[in-house]
Amino acid sequence: MIDTPTQPQTVAAPRPDVPVDGATSSTPSAPSARTRARRRRTVLAGARLAIVVVLLATWQACVNAKIVDPFFWGEPEGVWADLRDWFTVGTSQGSLGAQILVTLEEAVLGFIIGSILGVVCGIALGRVRLLSELFAPFLKAANSIPRIILGSIFTVAFGFGIQSKVILAVVLVFFGVFFNAFQGAREVDRNLIANARLLGASRWQVTRGVVLPSAFTWILASLHISFGFALIGALVGEILGANQGLGLLIRSSQNNFDMNGVLAGMVLVAVIALAAEALITLLERRLLRWRPPQTHGGAAVE
Amino acid sequence: MTAIELRNVTKKFATADGGTYTAIEDLSLTVEDGQFCAVVGPTGCGKSTTLTLISGLERPSRGEALVHGEQVRGIDTSTGFVFQQDAVFPWRSVLDNVAAGPVYRGASRSEATALARDWLRRVGLSGFEDRYPHQLSGGMRKRVALAQSLINQPRVLLMDEPFSALDVQTRAIMSTELLNLWDQTKPAVVFVTHDLEEAIALADKVVVITAGPGTVKAEFEIDLPRPRIVQEIRFDPRFTQLYEQIWEALRAEVAEAYARTTGATEVAS
């Protein structure tokens, strides 16, 4: 699925405190750039909210006018009602919090284990030529398999518990991180390595002190996508067979022809994914502090 | 005592199309302990290759490279190297960059930090310990690179056009400071440059390399008095004399190299 590594982002979106329209007039009566930027942000946020409201209202209106059949496509009011029920009353499988926690646990475990494995293997193969010559064809082959199907095997082999979902998430996360770490390890500035060695660094010190930090730009770029993959692994695992979790909730809604329930599950998953994305961006800012500000990687959402 | 000796070294590289490219051919060079030797030559004459052979980053295809009488077999950590491009670690603060060498060599963190602070003071960067390299100017980053290298007290210091990316004024200031720093520990220096003025202002000996494949065309002793101030030494009449002499040797090589890259036959001099 992912055979080309994700490029680290080198040019971020325009910084919010810089006026984007390029107006540089400095009339004394004009509001300061900062005020104008803030006003612009508020207007943008309002416009976005308006888009959402308009879309949802149109959908609901179409349902009410019997243009869209809510049996197949659901309706905003129904989704909202399901969400409220889940929060206040609980779901058919127990409290909503428990379902979210199970799915989150599977995704986070899969994400962490898969990322660590990916980084370790990627750096090792990027640094040791023999290893990459030996294993690269296998990894390429493994990467071209639609790995999501492995979920069926894991469910049968490891059962309905958390284990099979974590393993599926690990498998999905691993390759994205691996290929980026591998590429990152190979793109390290030769001068930096030569300099470290001349300063007296051992091979291991070069790997830890030069290759790893330098590859981190690449690795972090892959982590953004990888949490999404971990979440997919957890959900698909649950849909294939589980006792608990958001995936199961979506699955049982589908079995009851409750499309509103499916959509409500999607909304919850989206919220989790967005929160995780924000956390990863924070981590990235922190780890890549040493980079000049205009090249701060990461999804500049603002 | 002889610090560096290259004996008839040849270095060939494999090219992408399967052929070989001879960077330097039958080149011999000696540098004494405490001597400042500048190597000048046109672009692409293999100046930088000579440094990689002395440092052990590369092995000669023929001939031998010796440092303090011993054949260079791998990277020798008694050798310091200042690169043309930035080679300071961008993710380390200035202090950690300078402390890197001692830490790699097994010093404790507190020892290394204390030593690094001392060297930052010597290169005039006190107060910038916590900055990251991208927050510094090009000249300041060069100072970090110098401190990073000199903190290991190298007996041999190799410099590959270290100031070529700096503006003219900063370059002159840095050159003078380099001489002061060099005077403190007196390593044997090989300073590669294509700027003849810089070479004469700094060095005890200037070696002219032919257009590639590089070999030694001529050597000149620079008998200008020390200590020198790089910004002013060029007004010395002896400086002009030396410049004319060495340029005579260099001109043909520069023209040759220029003709090869552009197809032109004459270089404006």
Side-chain angles (χ1 to χ4, degrees):
Chain A
M1 279 198 254
I2 337 133
D3 41 13
T4 44
T6 326
Q7 288 283 349
Q9 209 170 333
T10 47
V11 183
R15 288 173 56 193
D17 55 342
V18 176
V20 191
D21 52 11
T24 47
S25 68
S26 54
T27 345
S29 61
S32 73
R34 190 179 290 262
T35 324
R36 271 188 302 154
R38 195 182 304 137
R39 192 176 302 157
R40 192 166 180 281
R41 273 208 301 277
T42 319
V43 170
L44 264 179
R48 287 172 185 152
L49 191 67
I51 292 174
V52 173
V53 168
V54 166
L55 280 178
L56 289 179
T58 315
W59 182 2
Q60 188 64 52
C62 287
V63 169
N64 293 346
K66 305 225 185 296
I67 301 172
V68 171
D69 187 346
F71 179 78
F72 294 116
W73 304 106
E75 55 178 324
E77 276 176 4
V79 173
W80 176 246
D82 269 6
L83 278 175
R84 209 181 38 210
D85 267 8
W86 286 350
F87 270 106
T88 51
V89 186
T91 69
S92 53
Q93 305 151 210
S95 81
L96 181 65
Q99 311 309 314
I100 294 179
L101 271 184
V102 168
T103 305
L104 209 53
E105 190 184 353
E106 292 160 355
V108 168
L109 274 177
F111 174 70
I112 291 172
I113 298 172
S115 303
I116 291 175
L117 281 178
V119 169
V120 170
C121 294
I123 300 277
L125 263 68
R127 281 289 281 159
V128 185
R129 179 121 176 253
L130 180 66
L131 282 182
S132 75
E133 283 172 341
L134 261 181
F135 289 109
F138 296 113
L139 284 156
K140 279 226 170 80
N143 187 39
S144 59
I145 297 172
R147 291 179 299 280
I148 203 91
I149 310 300
L150 291 173
S152 301
I153 298 176
F154 294 153
T155 310
V156 174
F158 300 105
F160 277 27
I162 181 170
Q163 212 180 351
S164 57
K165 286 81 190 169
V166 173
I167 294 173
L168 183 58
V170 166
V171 171
L172 290 184
V173 166
F174 172 81
F175 285 90
V177 177
F178 167 81
F179 282 109
N180 263 45
F182 180 63
Q183 195 66 22
R186 300 227 290 192
E187 304 241 324
V188 181
D189 189 339
R190 298 280 126 204
N191 274 334
L192 289 183
I193 294 185
N195 192 23
R197 289 177 65 200
L198 284 159
L199 290 174
S202 64
R203 219 177 136 72
W204 168 242
Q205 282 170 324
V206 169
T207 302
R208 220 194 41 179
V210 181
V211 177
L212 193 62
S214 169
F216 239 94
T217 324
W218 287 79
I219 294 168
L220 282 166
S222 73
L223 292 189
H224 284 284
I225 315 167
S226 295
F227 191 80
F229 278 119
L231 212 49
I232 292 174
L235 288 169
V236 169
E238 285 168 359
I239 288 173
L240 290 171
N243 306 321
Q244 288 190 86
L246 286 176
L248 180 64
L249 200 57
I250 293 174
R251 176 69 195 267
S252 42
S253 300
Q254 184 200 333
N255 289 348
N256 297 331
F257 297 101
D258 174 12
M259 291 308 125
N260 290 332
V262 174
L263 290 170
M266 264 174 63
V267 170
L268 290 174
V269 173
V271 169
I272 293 175
L274 282 175
E277 168 69 27
L279 281 178
I280 292 172
T281 305
L282 261 175
L283 176 80
E284 188 173 39
R285 291 256 159 84
R286 171 116 198 90
L287 285 174
L288 298 184
R289 240 177 343 169
W290 52 269
R291 298 176 75 200
Q294 70 272 20
T295 61
H296 253 314
V301 181
E302 191 49 63
Chain B
M1 187 185 161
T2 306
I4 302 164
E5 193 174 0
L6 291 176
R7 285 189 195 148
N8 309 96
V9 290
T10 297
K11 179 67 187 174
K12 296 181 172 167
F13 291 102
T15 54
D17 55 15
T20 54
Y21 166 73
T22 310
I24 52 178
E25 190 155 39
D26 202 23
L27 184 146
S28 297
L29 177 73
T30 54
V31 182
E32 300 301 318
D33 251 335
Q35 191 179 34
F36 199 121
C37 171
V39 174
V40 290
T43 326
C45 73
K47 300 183 296 276
S48 304
T49 308
T50 57
L51 296 188
T52 61
L53 296 182
I54 300 168
S55 64
L57 286 168
E58 301 273 359
R59 304 276 183 92
S61 312
R62 269 205 308 278
E64 48 188 358
L66 299 110
V67 170
H68 291 121
E70 283 187 38
Q71 197 164 351
V72 178
R73 288 178 194 286
I75 285 178
D76 183 351
T77 50
S78 72
T79 301
F81 203 116
V82 180
F83 291 82
Q84 181 175 11
Q85 294 94 4
D86 274 337
V88 295
F89 308 116
W91 47 82
R92 282 170 177 253
S93 68
V94 166
L95 186 67
D96 288 345
N97 256 298
V98 178
V103 169
Y104 286 150
R105 285 151 200 252
S108 75
R109 189 134 270 287
S110 56
E111 273 171 17
T113 310
L115 203 57
R117 278 184 201 286
D118 181 44
W119 273 96
L120 281 174
R121 186 186 50 72
R122 293 199 213 184
V123 298
L125 281 180
S126 289
F128 291 93
E129 287 87 351
D130 297 327
R131 302 284 184 94
Y132 286 104
H134 78 84
Q135 297 168 314
L136 304 178
S137 68
M140 288 159 106
R141 279 203 293 275
K142 275 293 166 226
R143 288 166 204 253
V144 176
L146 273 177
Q148 190 182 48
S149 196
L150 289 171
I151 194 173
N152 296 317
Q153 310 260 1
R155 296 306 308 136
V156 166
L157 181 62
L158 308 174
M159 307 183 84
D160 187 0
E161 300 191 35
F163 305 143
S164 60
L166 303 179
D167 62 83
V168 180
Q169 284 93 357
T170 313
R171 197 167 169 170
I173 295 169
M174 285 300 296
S175 302
T176 306
E177 289 191 13
L178 170 65
L179 286 182
N180 292 334
L181 290 167
W182 169 67
D183 212 34
Q184 292 175 24
T185 52
K186 277 278 171 130
V189 178
V190 181
F191 187 102
V192 161
T193 176
H194 54 245
D195 180 349
L196 183 52
E197 256 188 57
E198 188 181 37
I200 299 170
L202 291 171
D204 300 317
K205 175 164 93 171
V206 172
V207 176
V208 177
I209 305 281
T210 59
T215 190
V216 174
K217 177 164 186 176
E219 292 189 8
F220 299 86
E221 293 298 323
I222 307 299
D223 48 9
L224 296 165
R226 289 193 189 272
R228 301 180 193 163
I229 295 167
V230 174
Q231 295 93 313
E232 289 161 23
I233 192 85
R234 64 194 66 179
F235 306 125
D236 194 308
R238 178 75 188 130
F239 183 95
T240 322
Q241 264 177 13
L242 284 163
Y243 190 96
E244 279 172 8
Q245 252 178 42
I246 303 174
W247 176 243
E248 205 50 53
L250 188 57
R251 175 164 43 199
E253 304 307 323
V254 172
E256 165 80 22
Y258 187 75
R260 271 187 223 167
T261 51
T262 60
T265 46
E266 199 56 45
V267 59
S269 48

